Amino acid sequence: MAAKYQAPRGTFDVLPAAARGRARIEAAAAAIFARAGYEPLATPVFEDTELFERGVGKSTDIVRKEMFTFEDKGGRSLTLRPEGTAPICRAYVEHGMHKLAQPVKLSYAGPFFRHERPQAGRYRQFHQLGAECIGTDSPLADAEVIMLLSDLLGELGVPGVELRLGSLGSLEARRAYLEDLKAHLHAHEGELSRDVRERIDINPLRAFDSDDEGTRGVMASAPTIVGSLQGEDAEHFAAVRELLDAAGIVYTVDPTLVRGLDYYTRTIFSFVCDQLGAQSEVGGGGRYDGLVEQLGGPATPAIGWAAGIERILLALGEEEDAKAQRRVFISHATGAGKISRAKALALATELRHAGIAAEFDLAGRSPKGQLKHADRIGASWVVFLEDSGEGQLRDMASGEQRAVDLGNLVEEITGGEL
Ligand code: AMP
């Protein structure tokens, strides 16, 4: 029977079996952020629509086509956040964080929303982890944030990861470059796809992303951003590269790398994974030296990234659902009385307080049924409570069973190691 109600298109339920893998990713990120001093900042899941129009950019696909925008009862236009950087910068300005010691290092995790065509690795509600380093233009910050993501993917064991690095130059340099690029595109208008042609003056960088053969031909001879870097922009990029080289981070410079958001300046980067199909990016980001000012704050250079939890999970494949926590099951049917029932609750509580996962029967199963259930939930041990008040401990892996001192159950189970 088909369910009458289903999760909306492009969304999904995270069922308990899948939750563990997600929690592991979030915990690994939280630990990496904490060790590097990137403190968590949580912003609302919806914001004024204008924040994204101004921050992300009106000509981007995100703002033009992908936002979940609605009017609230007061007639305000609100939007479910499609990304995390503009909200973080909004919070930075709103809370006067420019008065704190700079840079301010922040991190976040949570759901984001884009009205995209759903496919593997692309959803309408997805989850990102992110780090932002706001208030410095030092190349060291670029290297640090890139290393955080590199460390995270390494620690999680994401296979086949490659780092692509590029630079867009400062806002002024980028503007000058965009004029050159537009001139090149106009000179070859006839060979471009309609979509690219219509947006030459709105968003010429998009042409580098095109799958259209004619457009790709034109782009092969187009001036590149990295090739056009000059002065301090070129020095900054060289410094970032030197630091990454010295840190042993492997990357390839991609002179045509672009990102789908308008706020990027100078360094941009993308971690791609060869295990993923069309949506091959696990995470990426870059500098956004003009964004805080654009949102009404003081001129403040900054850099950050976001990584997609679903993409990381896809890249990790099936390995994820294994590795259950070691678990004790307390069988209390043998006594059949209220004493063993209360004892089961007390022992489970004691084990749980000691940090050991413990469960007992809640379904009135027979002793045989309880053993079967213990196996089903992957219990490593079963404790049988006996009428006499004694207990037996069964090691589920070996099948060995022995009398156990119930007064000392934590020790008995951990062998003194916790
Ligand atoms: P972006 O905010 O576009 O720079 O994307 C950062 C990361 O978020 C990407 O590398 C993906 O891992 C993830 N991501 C972006 N859009 C989606 C989506 N629609 N579904 C799932 N993950 C996404």
Side-chain angles (χ1 to χ4, degrees):
M1 192 184 78
K4 184 171 173 198
Y5 299 110
Q6 291 172 357
R9 187 167 148 75
T11 72
F12 49 85
D13 298 309
V14 179
L15 298 176
R20 209 178 294 130
R22 287 176 173 265
R24 185 171 83 89
I25 294 172
E26 284 174 19
I32 285 173
F33 292 150
R35 290 197 294 262
Y38 284 69
E39 306 226 48
L41 191 158
T43 62
V45 292
F46 56 83
E47 298 267 0
D48 285 338
T49 301
E50 209 188 309
L51 174 70
F52 300 113
E53 288 175 348
R54 278 198 68 84
V56 177
K58 274 201 159 145
S59 68
T60 59
D61 277 354
I62 294 181
V63 171
R64 282 171 68 236
K65 306 189 211 159
E66 297 169 3
M67 297 208 300
F68 282 94
T69 296
F70 60 97
E71 209 169 83
D72 74 0
K73 290 188 164 51
R76 284 171 285 260
S77 179
L78 298 172
T79 292
L80 297 183
R81 58 182 187 184
E83 62 94 52
T85 303
I88 294 269
C89 289
R90 194 260 312 132
Y92 176 92
V93 175
E94 184 171 337
H95 300 286
M97 291 189 207
H98 61 277
K99 294 187 209 117
L100 304 175
Q102 304 294 302
V104 176
K105 300 189 291 182
L106 301 166
S107 60
Y108 62 87
F112 292 84
F113 308 86
R114 292 183 197 171
H115 200 286
E116 298 195 87
R117 200 169 48 78
Q119 54 177 271
R122 203 207 255 167
Y123 311 96
R124 291 186 174 170
Q125 175 171 342
F126 55 98
H127 299 79
Q128 282 185 345
L129 301 158
E132 316 283 0
C133 182
I134 307 179
T136 175
D137 64 1
S138 167
L140 258 181
D142 304 47
E144 177 173 71
V145 296
I146 290 172
M147 286 198 68
L148 292 181
L149 183 48
S150 168
D151 276 355
L152 176 64
L153 299 175
E155 192 174 310
L156 291 171
V158 178
V161 175
E162 194 191 307
L163 169 59
R164 301 206 178 127
L165 190 69
S167 176
L168 299 172
S170 64
L171 282 179
E172 304 77 58
R174 191 172 154 200
R175 239 170 252 142
Y177 164 75
L178 288 178
E179 289 313 313
D180 291 348
L181 180 60
K182 282 183 207 170
H184 178 80
L185 292 171
H186 280 302
H188 296 87
E189 266 187 52
E191 298 151 60
L192 300 173
S193 73
R194 213 179 114 209
D195 194 43
V196 170
R197 195 178 338 122
E198 281 174 356
R199 287 167 63 202
I200 293 180
D201 292 306
I202 315 170
N203 193 356
L205 284 176
R206 262 305 300 272
F208 283 112
D209 278 344
S210 176
D211 297 327
D212 173 71
E213 213 172 297
T215 307
R216 290 181 83 89
V218 174
M219 297 326 284
S221 61
T224 66
I225 318 178
V226 168
S228 317
L229 291 180
Q230 287 177 341
E232 287 184 10
D233 288 338
E235 280 165 30
H236 193 274
F237 191 48
V240 173
R241 293 185 53 179
E242 259 168 45
L243 287 166
L244 291 176
D245 290 338
I249 300 269
V250 178
Y251 58 85
T252 46
V253 172
D254 180 346
T256 64
L257 187 65
V258 291
R259 299 193 64 74
L261 295 85
D262 271 0
Y263 50 61
Y264 287 116
T265 52
R266 291 193 163 173
T267 313
I268 51 171
F269 55 94
S270 173
F271 283 84
V272 292
C273 171
D274 61 14
Q275 314 282 306
L276 298 173
Q279 306 300 314
S280 63
E281 190 189 273
V282 271
R287 277 208 161 269
Y288 46 93
D289 290 344
L291 182 58
V292 171
E293 189 174 18
Q294 201 174 340
L295 297 178
T300 309
I303 181 161
W305 53 259
I309 293 185
E310 289 77 19
R311 300 269 174 93
I312 294 175
L313 284 166
L314 278 174
L316 287 171
E318 298 308 314
E319 292 159 35
E320 243 347 88
D321 46 25
K323 296 184 210 128
Q325 196 181 3
R326 311 251 287 169
R327 187 165 292 273
V328 181
F329 188 84
I330 301 168
S331 169
H332 58 91
T334 44
K338 293 198 171 129
I339 297 173
S340 90
R341 208 164 70 176
K343 185 79 181 157
L345 180 61
L347 285 175
T349 305
E350 188 188 329
L351 290 170
R352 290 170 187 174
H353 287 175
I356 300 167
E359 294 184 42
F360 46 82
D361 181 59
L362 288 165
R365 291 183 178 89
S366 70
K368 221 171 122 197
Q370 291 196 49
L371 190 57
K372 219 167 134 189
H373 187 64
D375 193 41
R376 190 157 44 216
I377 65 164
S380 308
W381 302 274
V382 177
V383 178
F384 295 100
L385 299 182
E386 293 170 355
D387 281 336
S388 55
E390 317 258 286
Q392 294 276 322
L393 181 65
R394 184 188 183 95
D395 181 327
M396 293 293 275
S398 65
E400 271 168 42
Q401 194 168 311
R402 61 180 171 86
V404 69
D405 174 7
L406 293 176
N408 210 7
L409 194 55
V410 172
E411 282 262 317
E412 292 265 11
I413 281 173
T414 60
E417 290 169 37
L418 248 194

